Amino acid sequence: RRRKERGRQLRSCHPSCFKIRGRMASTAEWLLRGSLAILVLAFCVGQCYQFVTRAYTIRLHAINEYGYIIHEFDPWFNFRAAQYLHDNGWKAFVNWFDHKVWYPLGRPVGTTIYPGMQVIAVWLTKSWLPVWFGVKKYLGMSIPKNVLVKGAKRVSKSLSSPFMSMVASSMSKVGMKWVEMSLNDVCCLIPAWFGALTTVTTGLIALECSARFHCGVGSQFGTILDEFPLLGHYLRKVGDPIRYILKKYSGLDAGGVRVSSSSALQPASLLSMTATMFFMSTIPAHIMRSVGGGYDNESVAVFAMTLVFYLWTRSLRGDGKGADVDINPNEDNVGYRIRQKEDVGFSLSTRTITAAFWGALTGVAYFNMAAAWGGYTFVINLVGVHAAALVILGRHSSKLHAAYSAFYIAGTTLATRVPVVGLTPIKSLEQMGPMLVFFVLQLLEYCERVRTRDNLTRAQTLLLRIRLAALFGVVGTATVMSLYPSGHFGPISARVRGLFVPHTKTGNPLVDSVAEHQAAKEGTYEQYLGVVAKFAHIGLGMIALAFTNDASSFLVVYGLAAYYFSHKMVRLILLTAPIGSILVGMVIGRVLGFCVEGVCGFHLDIWEIFGTAIVDVNNEPKDEPPAEVKSKRAKSNGAKKTKEKSSEKEKGKPKNEQPKSSIVDNIAVNVLLRCAWAYLAYYLYTEAQPEMKGFGEFSDRMAVAMSHPTILFKGNTRSGGEVLVDDYREAYWWLRDNTPEDARIMAWWDYGYQITGIANRTTIADGNTWNHEHIALLGRALTSPLKEGHRIARHLADYVLLWTGGGGDDLAKSPHLARIANSVYRDMCPNDPTCSRFSMPGGRPSQMMRNSLLYRLHSHQLVEGVEADKNRFKEVYRTKYGKVRIYKILSVSKESKEWVKKNKMQNCDAGGWFCPGNYPPGLQKVLKEKKDFAQLEDFNRGASDEEYQKQYFENLNDPAKARRRAKKDTAKEVEPDRPDEREVKIEAKPGRPTKEEIRDINRKWVDNEITNALFDVVRSNDLNRLALIAEAQELLLHSRSKDGRGPMWWAHEFGRKDIIEALKDLGVSDKLMDGDGILPADLADD
């Protein structure tokens, strides 16, 4: 009875959509097919498990090497926020106003943070992991060593959650223990855990987009334009016969719209998923944001993003029962094919309800995304663009309407519950596109429902659409015009705006100063994607030309968007990791699937093997050729009567008898075909093996290079010994242990998160960078002359902390500080937005830089003649290796400090993001000199600064001209050349390093005494000292610091032409890239 029912369902599809084997011809055939199916399935499952395991272990290099330590800068804020949530609960967290940051303004953390990652960490720490580890210990399984075992009964009394208290009590009754892991360790492991989960979700996307789960037209494979009005008709006429012939004479499913098998779990689908997981598990573009200890938003957000994408493509599948189109789809009244035959009028089919269900799940996953990362706007816009693209391509259906509507309503409603998001989805210009798509789909669906209900003519349908579109346009325009003057619509942020302007800068010097906001350079994709960058475009073309359906068309949209945005901002190369892995994985999966089925000589169908699609053989539909092939055959036979006679003769033949002349049924030819496929499979395997092995080795090297925490690192002494340089944490620990609890620390915003997270001291600014003008005030204090800088600092801070270890220290960053300060305080560098006067022409600091507070404290007693004013600053701590120096500010204004204590206010705007606060009276004189910076995302929306922006971009586009102007203005300020800075000829000495030695040292990116010495040599243009280093050990000239830069980068950065030529003569390459994908020559104009 079940077989007959299944057969009835399958026969409802057009015969050309399905090919059902029916009952197996013999027990031997069934055993052969079953064995092969089990082997393929077991192979794929086993490999996927290995790849998930590898995805986890490859991200543990830093933890295995350095222990459970939080990395970088932003992760320290995330950890501090998670600790606050863990200790105080959700209600206190949402209302948390932190006065230890952005002094004296403060920050409402609870309403300006994406809390998803913190909620996950606390939930794992308090709820999931104690139970999970307790169960594992009870069963005798291994558990981590860094855990604390407690009695479950005692713990149950202290838990605030009644449910968890009940769980702990139940555990104690059966003898289980409550096993806790510290919040710090959980935060360190979350990136690795979610890196493994992302590998799974990415593989599921590949499976969903490479499989056909039913015979509906939305699941049929073809070109991306097959459903496009008029053009698609001719493409199908050309493509269908070709696909039919390829299938008939090769035994392969060539992706034909009407000739492919119906099942999902064919080898090509499973192998596509497996290959995708192989690449995604170790691709460096994802590892760089998910190493153990890198507790940053992206480590969780990429999983949330891929989960949304998987559920979205799943919602476009439907329920897999029956057909949703006519047997021979015709053009409808306005040129689009009929895609929703089951939903006549305003009825709802099972498929539509199923699509709505999965669309709602997509909305729930989107809520997780919105809670985890500000990049949620990319996700909703990408889904909206895909839905719009399906409509434009003629693929609109009730299924699409139901899926997108459920997704948008559920996702937007839930996203507004995230405090930092609020009403942004209906106010921000960045999210108006998805809303517009939602309303357009409602309009189209209503017209389609009325058309099918009333059987409207072409003219009537077109008129209905025009009327509704006009009404929608009038209402929409009136709504926008009424809301826009009131400031209802939020502006586009500087970072997003920078993705769409022709140049690579945003016009905001603060945003432009961040390296990861720069455009991707040539070679960046190969650096972070490896072999994936070489073949991803092949996968994109394969899908677009042969394997497009409603779900897989999403990959085309995603691929193009990810490439565009990553090209504009190198940080967004993270977005290319999933789509790149999927595209290359699907190429490999299709090719391997073809080879497997070619060797077998039949389609290997997992569903069919296990009885999912077994029906009676007498009811098997025929796999007939397309109409174009039939017509050609009819013409070649000569006449209709001859054809009818031949068909009558065939009716008299036994059903199981096959034509003896069929070339594919000839035994000899069949054997040759199988051998050819076997040889092709072997050849492809031998050719691909080195590439796959190379990708694994490449990923291992990159994983090790990316796993060095910024906050500490290993270096080598001159004697060759290895030391652990922990200067930064030691400096923060010193602040924690030797300064008052209310001490205020002035440091550049980069280090703010680490100071509050480790030292637990008040900072002036941090990586949130929400207030450009406050950071400009900090920049002015640091880059102004020492006396003027002290006048500002004494009202804001008690101590000054500087990074002084060379490489990317504060002196190297100082031109950006001056540029940011000048954007608000224009008197610093009049008529020069890029503040070219504050620079190091010829490698020597300009007079403006030499006079600055930052330079005087940075080079205090290190450079001859440079001393800090002992009446204003006192050095109180210098780390062991000189990486950090801390100065106590003398003559601190007690009045200003007391005034801020008495006037603490939580003065924020309605959205809770910008908090102007109050500055002490002692700073009012300086603040009167500022000019409101027209940053679009803040409170100065109405400000206009066109002249400044024009000069800013002119200087950026022609830095040489800006330098010449600055040199002319400061010609008298630069000191004359020192006698020891004359040209020195450096000759290569015997015993030059080998290529292997150079390659090995280029792979070791560390900050040590050697790189510090080389940086000082280049900065001071000391050719004599460079010659001595080359004579002693030439190999050292190839050393690279932790950011991937070395002497060649620094020489270009400081304009050391003589050193550049000397390094080139000694074989130092200028074609390598640093950690941000930047070539040495790229720094010449910075």
Side-chain angles (χ1 to χ4, degrees), residues 185-237:
D185 294 356
V186 170
C187 292
C188 288
L189 288 171
I190 276 180
W193 288 336
F194 278 84
L197 291 175
T198 305
T199 301
V200 175
T201 52
T202 306
L204 290 176
I205 296 174
L207 177 65
E208 189 67 38
C209 293
S210 62
R212 288 188 51 196
F213 287 88
H214 59 85
C215 62
V217 70
S219 291
Q220 296 175 19
F221 287 128
T223 69
I224 196 169
L225 296 175
D226 268 4
E227 307 291 328
F228 197 77
L230 300 180
L231 179 60
H233 173 73
Y234 295 103
L235 286 174
R236 291 191 298 274
K237 273 192 172 183

Side-chain angles (χ1 to χ4, degrees), residues 1001-1020:
I1001 197 172
N1002 269 315
R1003 291 174 180 172
K1004 298 177 181 178
W1005 296 2
V1006 295
D1007 289 339
N1008 52 33
E1009 294 180 351
I1010 298 300
T1011 55
N1012 292 340
L1014 289 171
F1015 179 81
D1016 292 335
V1017 166
V1018 175
R1019 184 176 64 180
S1020 60

Side-chain angles (χ1 to χ4, degrees), residues 427-464:
K427 296 176 66 175
S428 173
L429 293 178
E430 297 169 9
Q431 300 185 50
M432 289 297 103
M435 179 185 292
L436 179 63
V437 172
F438 172 76
F439 286 117
V440 170
L441 281 176
Q442 308 311 311
L443 186 150
L444 289 176
E445 184 68 10
Y446 177 79
C447 293
E448 187 64 19
R449 297 284 183 161
V450 172
R451 183 188 69 83
T452 56
R453 183 193 64 184
D454 300 340
N455 196 23
L456 300 182
T457 63
R458 172 175 180 159
Q460 290 173 329
T461 305
L462 183 59
L463 182 61
L464 176 63

Side-chain angles (χ1 to χ4, degrees), residues 919-937:
Y919 289 93
L923 288 174
Q924 295 306 314
K925 182 178 179 181
V926 176
L927 294 174
K928 289 180 180 179
E929 300 174 4
K930 76 180 182 70
K931 177 179 176 60
D932 292 343
F933 185 73
Q935 50 189 47
L936 294 184
E937 63 271 28

